[in-house]
Amino acid sequence: MKIGILTGGGDCPGLNPVIRAVVRTALREGFQMIGIQNGWKGLVDNETKPLDLSAVSGILHRGGTILGTSRTNPYKDKALLDKVRANYRTLGLDALIAIGGEDTLGVAARLFQEGFKVVGVPKTIDNDLSGTDFTFGFDTAVNIAMEAIDRLHTTAESHRRIMVVEVMGRHAGWIALYSGLAGGADLILIPETPIKMEEVTAVIRKRLERGKNFSIIVVAEGAKFDGAEAVLGTKLDEFGHVRLGGIGEMLANKIEETTGFETRVTVLGHIQRGGSATAFDRVLGTRFGAKAVELVKNGQFGQMAALKGNEITAIPIEAGTGKLKTVDPAFYEMARKFFG
Ligand code: F6P
């Protein structure tokens, strides 16, 4: 059996552990592995490379993806889609393993509906795919953000400042919630709950009353003032996403205006997507990769690996991509107990 593998969408630590696990378990089954480079773009342009044991040697600890990635959407242009269909056949693929988030796996689900034998592996630092308790990349991003928050405490205290930390999380505030709780943030703002300045100033005032003349506020890049996201320009990517950015600056300016406190902003950005994966993400990625090969071997196409509790299972790809997994209101309410 000849299996293709691709990584699409935003990269993250953990991708190479998945690729390594897929290749090593597939080769043990006597399958042949073809790496498709740069996400769906590689299938459009027939950019591939064979994957053998040496190709995946020494990549377990490496961030990013040895295959490269892109945000190419073949369903945006019939000519691209025709090339994908043709190259899938020209390459003689018996199956394709797509590693990605809502966009990449959304394409995989549509190809499956057309009759292509596709299996998915959920990937995103945002942890916003339904049907799986966690996606790999998320734990690493949270730890990177937590370490930054720990560092920001000392400078905030020394200068008696409000430090606003902007973290990634396009539509869901999982990174903000987890890193804020782990880092002891005094306020956590997520896309799921609109920012109310009175709540922000109340937290700062409450801390001042107990002698704390500094605060750490974690805000997700997708958080909104009066329903409006902070965006950088109007350009959309091929899946219709705007580039988010600026909410941290907006919030900091409003805080300074309202409270008079010196306020500074740290935007963690793509640092959250770089470097080596945590042990949790390496193990989860390895388990997901092995599951993907099992699904191919058993002919369970249109399915994606998923984590339920501590079990690796499989769900229909649409079940993972149809509706984003946003922060549970009860979880956020619990976090509120630690604000201020
Ligand atoms: O989807 C993961 C993610 O990191 C989001 O959190 C972020 O908004 C987006 O990707 C950034 O996309 P890009 O790397 O294309 O700028």
Side-chain angles (χ1 to χ4, degrees):
M1 196 185 276
K2 194 175 186 182
I3 305 172
I5 180 173
L6 65 83
T7 56
D11 77 318
C12 71
L15 279 166
N16 286 326
V18 179
I19 296 167
R20 171 180 175 271
V22 166
V23 172
R24 291 189 62 159
T25 50
L27 295 181
R28 285 172 70 95
E29 295 290 342
F31 299 155
Q32 184 188 351
M33 286 305 309
I34 301 289
I36 293 161
Q37 296 176 277
N38 307 320
W40 293 111
K41 184 180 180 303
L43 209 46
V44 171
D45 299 337
N46 206 7
E47 297 167 332
T48 64
K49 65 179 181 181
L51 293 175
D52 57 13
L53 281 181
S54 63
V56 295
S57 170
I59 69 168
L60 182 59
H61 66 292
R62 281 176 52 193
T65 159
I66 59 168
L67 292 175
T69 185
S70 73
R71 292 189 182 280
T72 297
N73 177 7
Y75 280 94
K76 210 172 149 50
D77 176 337
K78 189 178 177 317
L80 298 186
L81 187 55
D82 289 343
K83 285 182 181 175
V84 163
R85 291 165 176 152
N87 285 328
Y88 186 106
R89 296 189 178 97
T90 312
L91 285 167
L93 297 181
D94 297 298
L96 173 66
I97 295 173
I99 307 166
E102 62 183 297
D103 298 332
T104 302
L105 296 183
V107 171
R110 294 178 74 173
L111 287 171
F112 172 67
Q113 283 150 15
E114 290 191 27
F116 291 93
K117 294 179 176 175
V118 187
V119 159
V121 176
K123 167 274 324 170
T124 174
I125 66 163
D126 292 1
N127 192 39
D128 59 0
L129 283 175
S130 299
T132 182
D133 290 350
F134 289 103
T135 51
F136 68 86
F138 171 68
D139 184 63
T140 304
V142 167
N143 276 283
I144 291 168
M146 178 194 72
E147 284 159 17
I149 293 165
D150 285 351
R151 289 180 178 278
L152 289 168
H153 267 92
T154 56
T155 180
E157 185 163 17
S158 304
H159 285 264
R160 300 167 304 293
R161 280 171 170 166
I162 312 293
M163 297 305 280
V164 173
V165 189
E166 182 181 316
V167 296
M168 283 186 159
R170 191 182 271 149
H171 304 303
W174 293 108
I175 297 175
L177 182 63
Y178 270 70
S179 63
L181 279 175
D186 303 303
L187 179 61
I188 302 168
L189 300 168
I190 59 177
E192 296 87 337
T193 54
I195 298 173
K196 295 191 183 74
M197 273 316 289
E198 57 270 19
E199 180 177 16
V200 176
T201 49
V203 161
I204 294 169
R205 201 176 304 114
K206 188 176 162 191
R207 283 185 54 78
L208 205 50
E209 284 160 9
R210 59 190 184 90
K212 296 289 184 186
N213 49 15
F214 68 97
S215 292
I216 303 279
I217 298 177
V218 176
V219 59
E221 62 180 344
K224 304 174 185 71
F225 267 115
D226 307 327
E229 288 174 330
V231 297
L232 298 173
T234 54
K235 190 169 176 294
L236 303 179
D237 71 11
E238 293 192 19
F239 290 91
H241 299 300
V242 291
R243 267 193 67 197
L244 293 172
I247 193 73
E249 204 65 47
M250 281 169 69
L251 178 61
N253 293 339
K254 282 187 186 277
I255 290 170
E256 277 199 331
E257 281 161 28
T258 320
T259 68
F261 263 97
E262 269 195 325
T263 307
R264 295 292 184 274
V265 186
T266 299
V267 179
L268 294 181
H270 288 72
I271 291 173
Q272 298 159 97
R273 296 237 305 260
S276 194
T278 57
F280 180 86
D281 279 344
R282 295 185 197 187
V283 172
L284 183 57
T286 298
R287 296 178 76 189
F288 276 173
K291 184 66 179 179
V293 173
E294 179 196 303
L295 293 171
V296 168
K297 183 183 172 189
N298 298 338
Q300 294 172 270
F301 299 110
Q303 298 277 306
M304 65 176 243
L307 177 69
K308 290 282 183 197
N310 194 29
E311 293 306 310
I312 301 293
T313 182
I315 59 172
I317 296 174
E318 295 92 335
T321 58
K323 183 174 175 298
L324 286 181
K325 182 181 70 188
T326 51
V327 168
D328 171 7
F331 196 160
Y332 189 66
E333 275 317 300
M334 186 283 292
R336 279 188 193 276
K337 295 183 170 69
F338 298 87
F339 293 174

